[in-house]
Amino acid sequence: MSDLDRMVDLDSAVWWRSSYTGNGGNCVEAAVLSVELVGVRDSKDTSIPAARVSLPAWSAFIGAVIGDGLSRS
């Protein structure tokens, strides 16, 4: 764990879900934690520690999902 990971306060993070999330809540939540870090967590059990990924990794993931035609636009 890097010093940046230790300094991030997940309790004050602003978490969001996709507008495509159904009422069942089977989704992930994401939060921008810093200019370099994005948090990702299970929306059904937010007590599970969030994964922390770099902003470039998150952008690549979103790009791959959209590029694969999985978005519901």
Side-chain angles (χ1 to χ4, degrees):
M1 182 179 293
S2 73
D3 289 338
L4 182 60
D5 287 337
R6 285 188 206 82
M7 294 186 310
V8 172
D9 179 13
L10 296 176
D11 293 330
S12 65
V14 178
W15 296 92
W16 55 270
R17 293 183 200 175
S18 167
S19 60
Y20 295 105
T21 300
N23 290 336
N26 293 325
C27 197
V28 296
E29 295 178 336
V32 176
L33 303 175
S34 73
V35 296
E36 300 175 15
L37 206 58
V38 174
V40 182
R41 69 181 183 183
D42 183 343
S43 66
K44 281 195 160 193
D45 189 353
T46 58
S47 68
I48 298 171
R52 293 169 180 90
V53 297
S54 70
L55 187 55
W58 179 251
S59 295
F61 170 75
I62 296 300
V65 170
I66 292 170
D68 287 342
L70 298 178
S71 67
R72 299 180 190 176
S73 51

